[in-house]
Structures are given as C-alpha cells and as structure tokens.
Amino acid sequence: MIYVLGEPEDVDVLWVAVALRARGHDVEVVLPDELMFGSTMTYRIDSAAVTWTLRLADGRVLDPGTVDLVVNRLSGLPPDSGDLAPRDALFVAEEWRAALAAWLRTLTCPVLNPPRAASLAGPTLPEASWRDIAHAFGIPCAPWRSDRSDLPTEPVTLTCVGDRCIDPEAIAGEHTRRALIAVGAYVGAPLLAATLDRATTTPVLFGVDVFPELRTVGDALLDALVHQTAPGGGGA
Amino acid sequence: MGCRKNLTRLTVAERQAYTNAVNQLKANGGYDRYVQQHQGAMGHGHGGPAFFPWHREYVRRFEEDLQAIDPSVSVPYWDWTQANVNAAGTESLIWRDDFMGGPGQAGSGAVTTGPFAGWGLIRSGFNIFGFPGTGGTIATFMSSPNYTTFRQVESPHGSAHVWVGGFVGNASIAPRDPVFWLIHSNVDRLWAEWINTHSATPGFQPYLPLSGATSGHNLNDTMWPWNGTTNPFGVLPWTVAPESIRPADLPDHRALDYFYDTVDPECRPVVKFRFKELKDRMPKEFKELLPKELGPKEFKERLPKEVSRKELKEQLPKEVVGKELKENLKEAGPKEFKEIREVPGRDPFIRPDLRPDLSGAALGFEPDFDVNLNPDIAALADSLTNRRGDLPHDQG
C-alpha cells in the first residue's frame, strides 16, 4: 500500500493518488486531520522488534506490514478547535508535530520526505545553504548574494526521487544528476526538485525545493515512486 | 489613499460601491487572476514567516484593481472576534443581501442571496449572528513583541476561514469567495496594529527572520509571483517583467498609502453626538433650564449666567465628553454643542427594508471545480474534503 499524506487542497497529492490508482496500485490518502483526530496509535518496543499500529477514526489501520511507501506532503497541522487556552493549544500542536515526526522517522519503508525536527515537510534550508551543499558535491551553482535575489534566465527543473533523477530536457550531465541524488541523500530529502538555469554554458543550480510540484513531472515521477516500493529499490 | 474600515461602519453607499467594484472586477476577468495566484501560493504565503507580507501585497494589489474601477473603494475588514451585528442584535452587518449575502443553504451550502449570488459560492450554513471568535488567542500572540510569536496569528485566522467554510474554508481556492478579502484585510490590520503597539520596544523587528528561512521568507527575499519565478507556475506579467517585492518593503502600511480606522488618525471614526442625545444625558438641573424646543442658539442664550463653562464641562457625564470635545471646551463655550456628532458604535444607516431575506428557494447549483482538474481528481478532492469535515476537530 502506498500512503500519500497531505491535504485535499494539494493538487499534487490528488494527482499522485489518482494516477497511481490508474496504474493498478493500492493508494490511500491520509489527511493530517485523520492522523490527529480520532486516531489511536499503539507503539511497542521490545528486545526483538519495534511494532506499531495506527488506527484511524474511519477504521483504516496502518501497520508496518501494510506500508510500502509514504509520500509525505504534510506541511502543517490543523489547529485544535476545542476549548483550549492559547498556550495549551500551542503545546498540543507541538506535541502532535513531534509525535507525527517521530512516527514517520521510524518507518522502515521509504518516506518521501522524512520530517525534520523543525518541519514535517523535511529539511527547510535557506537558498544559500542549498547552493553551498550542492557546490560541495560538485554541482555548478549560481553565485549567491545577500543583497539581491537573481533569477534564472531559462529555468529547468530536475526532480530526484531516491536514486533516480528526472531531467526532462536532458540539460544536466551524468555527474550533476548523480550529485543531486547524493545531495538528497546527504540532507535526508530523497524527493527534491532542483532548479537550474540552462542559459549558461554549463547549467548552474539556483535553488532546491523539498516540496516540489509533482504533477508536472508526469509518468517519470510515477515510475520513480513505484520503483521505491521494489525490494532493494529506490535508495530512499 | 484609502481608509480600510471595520465593515460595521460602512454606509449603504459604501457597501454598494464595494460590491459593485468587486463584481466589475469579476466581470473583466481580473478577479479570477487573484484566485489563480492564491492557488500557487501555498508554500509562499502560508505556513511560514512571509504569511503577513505576502498577503499584504496580495490584498494591496487587489484593492488597487478595485480602485481603478472606483477610487472611493477600500477593502473593509471583518473583525471576526466579535459579533458584527446592529445595536439591537437583530441584523447581521456582514451576512446581508447588500453585502456578503447569506450563509449558504442547508444541505448544498449554496449562496443564493446577495451581490455575489451568481458566483456559485458555497458556505457552511453558519449562524449569521455567530462569529469565529479566537479573540483571546489572537490577543495572546499580539502581546508579544517577537514576530515569530506574533505570526502564530495565522492559526486563528485559519479558524475564520474554516468557520465560513465552503470555498473560504479551502486554502487553495479561498479567494473565490469575496469574504476572503475581508478576512485578510483584518489579518493585515492586525499586523499593522502589532507593529504600532510594539515599534517603540528596543530591538523591535517588524519582520523575522532576516535569513535562514526557506527562500521567499527571509526579510530581503523577493516573493512569488511578483519575482517572476515559476515555482509552482509563472504568472504574467512578472515572468516577463519581474518585480522585487520583499518582506522588507512592506512593514509600513502607511507607506503603501492606506490606513486603518483602528490604527491611523486619518481614518479614525469621528465622535459625534446629536444635540438631542447630549441634552438627554445632561443632569436634571440643567435639563430643567432648557426650553422644550431647544435649538443650539436658544440653549446658549438661556443658560443661567452663573453657569460657567468650567462648571458646565464638569457637570457633563464622562461618557459624553470625548477628548476632542473636552479640548474644544477649553477654548470655547457651549456653541460646541452645536456640532452634530455621531456616537460610535451606533448604526444609523441600516434601513428596515434592507433586512436580509434568507428564505428564498434554493436554485440548482453545481460546484465549479477548477477546469484544469480531471473528474477523478476533482472527485477525490471532494471526497477528502468531506472526510475532513466529518472529523471532530478537538482532542476531547
């Protein structure tokens, strides 16, 4: 079963679910509201293994045996509409964020992308940091300045999913594609989109997005997602 | 130059002018461009520090487009922490047929009344005399001079969206319902008020962070769509002619040439008292001195000579004497009572014939999904939205 976590307003969530179902895959969309409200989680740690069960309010049950891939499009959590004092509401929100982040991090199946402490959506790095990391991996990068934001003249987006890098217009060399995959593994974001400018002689990287647009990538992205579910596949 | 007022203070003419301008913007296609922009703004103007500046610029441009149609129009705000009703509590000042229309029909949620009845809007069928509340939560966040704490106001603002429901309750397409602009005019006002309150605090920063956040959220980052970038999609004309719009450019709303009636002197409501009301509030011993058909001139002429200005001022009930009136009394005499002034909070402008009629028969309505979504995706979206709505959203 492939689980897609996200909001109904996220068209990429909807597209991934519908498109994968059209290919015959079992896909469930789980809303952040369904994770938080009316759900029950059992988490057991013993000397032999870690087991968990997440029962949603509508009766659906998630457990390690049923989850093959999680596409994590959680960017935030819904507020509690109960009669909580503001400080209590903040505390509840933070506890939920921590609980869901911990749960996602313990999944043994591929998670695209695993959450970080500060963000359920994965690493949220500033533009300068992305370029610095990419440069360290040998990817040509546009210079970064703090006093202005230059824009790519002819932007092209490469999307990496685990050990695959989708370059729709074949503008990046093998080295750059492999390096982007390595960047994703390094920062813990196996699903990312890199924006390069092909107007330069050698395409240079401008930015990286760990919450990329999925539907514009099309079938190649679906192939890459399915590849993640294969035994030993993906590298995510 | 525009004065953004509490919607409860709009006159009939102002409500009509505003709704007419919005409808004209809808008719010329300009309105739907804003809906499209908001669909792409989930990562840019939501869930991050840029929530306030992004929406400030977004609403400002919308308002400019309205003013290109009618220069007298400004976007009023909906203070959803209070009941927006008339003094008697018998009429909603927002959910009415000459303004935002009704709450949506039971069952379908179709909005069939008001100036936007032909837009195919859906709302959650709320109680028109109710309101989302969240005032306490907002006050807590606004009490902190730290922007990172203050911007948690985004959460209770979300509650206002959810309370209206329908399109407004769906972040991606919320601007499809004109109530969106009233909500975000209030959000913007809260930022202005917060800055106004804390600007004298040593080390105060009207926006954070300076750096270290996701692109588009740092103080000097340019923001989508105006910077012409194409993630998630490009928007003309900025993909051709990008503009540098940064959070750093936006903290001072006055520099953007608009004002709020709770923040800016240019826009504050004038305290007015009708002479009759002033007379009614006078102590009995003074009332007895007044002729029955008292006009301002007669009042002045008939005051006992021994009543000095100082004595008169001291005898007036405190709630009657506003600051301006007090200051005027220092310099002049009872002639100030000649000024006709309106008491704030009263609403003399609602005519009985404008009472909202929400009893009309439902018109057949089909939701108008985004034409770019295929039917399966649209159906899934609908199903998920319904599932979410069925969940009890509290931990109790």
Side-chain angles (χ1 to χ4, degrees):
Chain A
M1 180 74 73
I2 297 173
Y3 285 90
V4 184
L5 310 181
E7 299 276 14
E9 294 76 20
D10 187 340
V11 181
D12 291 304
V13 166
L14 306 175
W15 174 80
V16 166
V18 170
L20 286 176
R21 285 172 180 166
R23 290 184 170 204
H25 295 281
D26 291 328
V27 182
E28 283 283 349
V29 177
V30 180
L31 309 176
D33 308 67
E34 293 173 321
L35 291 171
M36 290 174 63
F37 302 115
S39 63
T40 304
M41 175 176 283
T42 304
Y43 198 91
R44 182 187 297 278
I45 304 173
D46 62 33
S47 58
V50 172
T51 56
W52 59 268
T53 303
L54 175 59
R55 179 180 298 274
L56 304 180
D58 59 9
R60 287 180 292 166
V61 177
L62 288 73
D63 63 47
T66 64
V67 184
D68 300 313
L69 171 69
V70 173
V71 180
N72 173 24
R73 298 282 295 186
L74 297 176
S75 59
L77 296 176
D80 188 296
S81 63
D83 189 19
L84 294 178
R87 290 179 64 179
D88 292 337
L90 279 175
F91 176 79
V92 169
E94 288 302 307
E95 287 294 314
W96 266 115
R97 189 161 64 83
L100 291 175
W103 170 63
L104 287 169
R105 295 293 295 193
T106 59
L107 296 181
T108 54
C109 66
V111 178
L112 308 173
N113 285 317
R116 297 284 282 264
S119 169
L120 285 173
T124 52
L125 303 177
E127 192 174 282
S129 295
W130 281 117
R131 294 191 196 182
D132 183 43
I133 294 170
H135 176 73
F137 279 85
I139 300 173
C141 295
W144 182 84
R145 292 180 60 133
S146 62
D147 58 348
R148 68 170 192 241
S149 290
D150 295 327
L151 302 173
T153 306
E154 294 183 38
V156 176
T157 299
L158 275 63
T159 305
C160 297
V161 185
D163 62 350
R164 295 190 176 186
C165 186
I166 303 164
D167 183 359
E169 300 184 38
I171 68 162
E174 181 67 16
H175 166 78
T176 297
R177 291 198 295 273
R178 287 186 179 278
L180 282 173
I181 292 170
V183 166
Y186 175 75
V187 301
L191 171 61
L192 57 82
T195 301
L196 280 70
D197 188 352
R198 66 173 170 185
T200 51
T201 305
T202 300
V204 295
L205 182 135
F206 267 78
V208 177
D209 186 358
V210 298
F211 210 78
E213 197 172 88
L214 303 179
R215 63 194 184 283
T216 56
V217 185
D219 286 343
L221 181 101
L222 298 176
D223 294 338
L225 290 178
V226 173
H227 175 64
Q228 297 296 311
T229 66
Chain B
M1 158 74 182
C3 184
R4 296 186 183 176
K5 298 160 64 171
N6 190 315
L7 64 89
T8 60
R9 295 185 50 235
L10 294 177
T11 64
V12 170
E14 287 171 336
R15 280 198 289 270
Q16 188 172 31
Y18 179 77
T19 56
N20 283 345
V22 173
N23 267 316
Q24 287 189 53
L25 188 64
K26 177 74 168 178
N28 70 24
Y31 191 97
D32 288 339
R33 278 175 43 85
Y34 286 96
V35 178
Q36 182 202 31
Q37 289 169 32
H38 199 264
Q39 281 184 304
M42 293 302 104
H44 297 284
H46 300 82
F51 170 75
F52 282 95
W54 191 92
H55 281 88
R56 170 161 287 181
E57 179 66 9
Y58 182 65
V59 175
R60 185 188 75 81
R61 288 180 183 257
F62 175 77
E63 186 175 69
E64 280 192 341
D65 280 357
L66 293 182
Q67 290 172 344
I69 296 169
D70 182 345
S72 74
V73 165
S74 291
V75 180
Y77 63 87
W78 173 31
D79 182 358
W80 66 78
T81 67
Q82 303 181 27
N84 285 221
V85 296
N86 63 350
T90 56
E91 293 182 15
S92 169
L93 299 178
I94 175 173
W95 313 113
R96 45 186 301 122
D97 283 357
D98 66 344
F99 200 47
M100 289 296 116
Q105 298 261 329
S108 68
V111 176
T112 58
T113 59
F116 311 115
W119 287 33
L121 302 178
I122 299 176
R123 294 174 184 156
S124 67
F126 46 80
N127 175 1
I128 63 171
F129 298 105
F131 55 99
T134 73
T137 304
I138 291 175
T140 299
F141 294 141
M142 289 191 63
S143 66
S144 169
N146 181 281
Y147 181 82
T148 303
T149 301
F150 161 73
R151 72 177 180 87
Q152 304 303 315
V153 168
E154 183 176 1
S155 178
H157 124 275
S159 298
H161 277 268
V162 170
W163 187 86
V164 177
F167 292 158
V168 174
N170 182 332
S172 178
I173 57 173
R176 287 174 76 169
D177 188 326
V179 173
F180 171 90
W181 305 102
L182 311 186
I183 292 175
H184 275 276
S185 182
N186 196 49
V187 167
D188 190 77
R189 179 184 69 90
L190 293 174
W191 192 26
E193 282 207 358
W194 176 77
I195 292 173
N196 197 50
T197 299
H198 297 289
S199 58
T201 302
F204 174 72
Q205 296 278 5
Y207 181 86
L208 289 172
L210 307 182
S211 63
T214 306
S215 177
H217 290 267
N218 297 294
L219 179 67
N220 289 302
D221 288 350
T222 58
M223 296 189 291
W224 182 92
W226 310 293
N227 62 11
T229 55
T230 56
N231 178 19
F233 50 80
V235 180
L236 289 171
W238 300 298
T239 51
V240 177
E243 296 181 41
S244 173
I245 307 295
R246 309 167 301 161
D249 301 318
L250 298 164
D252 184 1
H253 68 284
R254 296 168 61 87
L256 303 173
D257 204 23
Y258 66 88
F259 308 90
Y260 284 105
D261 60 359
T262 57
V263 181
D264 304 298
E266 296 86 338
C267 207
R268 287 191 190 278
V270 176
V271 176
K272 295 184 179 181
F273 296 92
R274 295 197 182 278
F275 180 74
K276 177 180 182 304
E277 291 152 7
L278 186 61
K279 187 181 83 172
D280 287 345
R281 289 169 177 266
M282 290 180 72
K284 182 181 176 184
E285 53 268 32
F286 285 100
K287 279 189 190 177
E288 293 170 347
L289 299 173
L290 301 175
K292 289 183 180 179
E293 297 82 27
L294 184 69
K297 181 180 177 184
E298 292 79 9
F299 175 71
K300 178 181 175 185
E301 292 172 349
R302 288 173 177 269
L303 274 177
K305 291 181 183 178
E306 62 270 24
V307 174
S308 69
R309 256 176 266 153
K310 180 181 176 186
E311 289 168 346
L312 186 62
K313 174 184 167 184
E314 288 171 354
Q315 290 295 331
L316 284 172
K318 291 182 181 177
E319 66 269 21
V320 167
V321 182
K323 178 183 174 184
E324 291 177 45
L325 187 56
K326 276 183 182 173
E327 291 175 347
N328 288 338
L329 284 172
K330 290 178 188 174
E331 302 172 5
K335 71 177 180 180
E336 308 316 312
F337 296 134
K338 299 177 189 178
E339 296 182 40
I340 302 300
R341 296 178 161 213
E342 292 174 5
V343 177
R346 292 176 63 96
D347 192 338
F349 304 111
I350 308 298
R351 301 201 311 264
D353 58 338
L354 292 178
R355 293 176 184 279
D357 178 10
L358 305 179
S359 62
L363 305 172
F365 170 75
E366 291 296 327
D368 177 22
F369 289 107
D370 186 327
V371 296
N372 292 325
L373 295 179
N374 74 34
D376 291 334
I377 291 179
L380 180 59
D382 196 32
S383 167
L384 294 175
T385 302
N386 289 336
R387 262 169 43 187
R388 182 172 60 190
D390 290 340
L391 286 169
H393 279 69
D394 60 60
Q395 304 296 329

